[in-house]
Amino acid sequence: MSVRNRIEIVHGVNLDQLGRRDPQIYGGLTFDALEYRITAWAAELGLTARFFQTNHEGALVEHLHTLEGLADGILINPGAWTHYAWAIREALEIAALPAVEVHLSNPSDREEWRHLSVIEELCLATVSGQGPDGYREALVRIKQALDG
Ligand code: DQA
């Protein structure tokens, strides 16, 4: 059986602005630095990480449509779309790959409107409130699922 180790790291709206967003909530790391760390953690775990970020909901939907045959698992942080973008939920369902939801902050400790995640049910785990280190935890979770 071929190795299943290709992880698509999908970031949604405003996450490219890390470093400019409130450091008390999101930490001081820039988005490039976060991607650099994720790449290194993935390599340590024998995974390969490919990245996609967009501020356009339809672009994220269409990207999820392309993943069949190109990725074995998904790590997804949709940003604010987490809380209301049902079209992203449906596209994730269509992608039909094991997925882990990640958030730098813990949305359930924040404003009421952040408490709903429309993708949570489709994900095998949600990692929240651990800052950048949460991505390492999420990679471990997806690896466990892929290694079965
Ligand atoms: C976030 C939490 C969301 O509520 C927020 O809109 C974001 C980032 C996080 O990583 O903590 O943009 O997904």
Side-chain angles (χ1 to χ4, degrees):
M1 204 182 81
S2 61
V3 187
R4 296 198 301 153
N5 67 353
R6 299 166 301 172
I7 312 303
E8 193 75 14
I9 317 290
V10 178
H11 281 110
V13 63
N14 290 320
L15 284 157
D16 58 330
Q17 298 301 306
L18 284 178
R20 295 178 66 195
R21 298 184 75 178
D22 187 344
Q24 306 273 55
I25 295 174
Y26 297 112
L29 215 58
T30 63
F31 187 62
D32 286 348
L34 176 65
E35 289 198 339
Y36 187 82
R37 283 200 195 179
I38 295 170
T39 303
W41 285 324
E44 277 168 27
L45 293 164
L47 302 169
T48 59
R50 196 177 76 151
F51 296 91
F52 181 78
Q53 189 278 330
T54 182
N55 294 316
H56 301 274
E57 184 179 341
L60 198 145
V61 164
E62 289 186 349
H63 187 70
L64 291 171
H65 292 172
T66 67
L67 294 184
E68 189 173 18
L70 296 178
D72 302 306
I74 299 172
L75 251 60
I76 184 164
N77 181 350
W81 288 328
T82 305
H83 313 299
Y84 64 90
W86 296 100
I88 288 175
R89 178 201 160 99
E90 289 186 337
L92 192 59
E93 203 166 11
I94 291 165
L97 290 167
V100 175
E101 176 181 4
V102 194
H103 299 285
L104 291 155
S105 67
N106 188 351
S108 25
D109 287 345
R110 300 178 64 194
E111 304 93 318
E112 185 85 31
W113 64 269
R114 297 184 200 270
H115 294 185
L116 173 68
S117 164
V118 298
I119 63 165
E120 185 175 11
E121 284 182 348
L122 299 177
C123 294
L124 60 92
T126 299
V127 180
S128 296
Q130 296 184 33
D133 291 350
Y135 286 84
R136 187 173 195 289
E137 167 75 17
L139 286 166
V140 168
R141 299 296 291 267
I142 200 107
K143 183 178 165 61
Q144 283 167 349
L146 292 174
D147 290 351

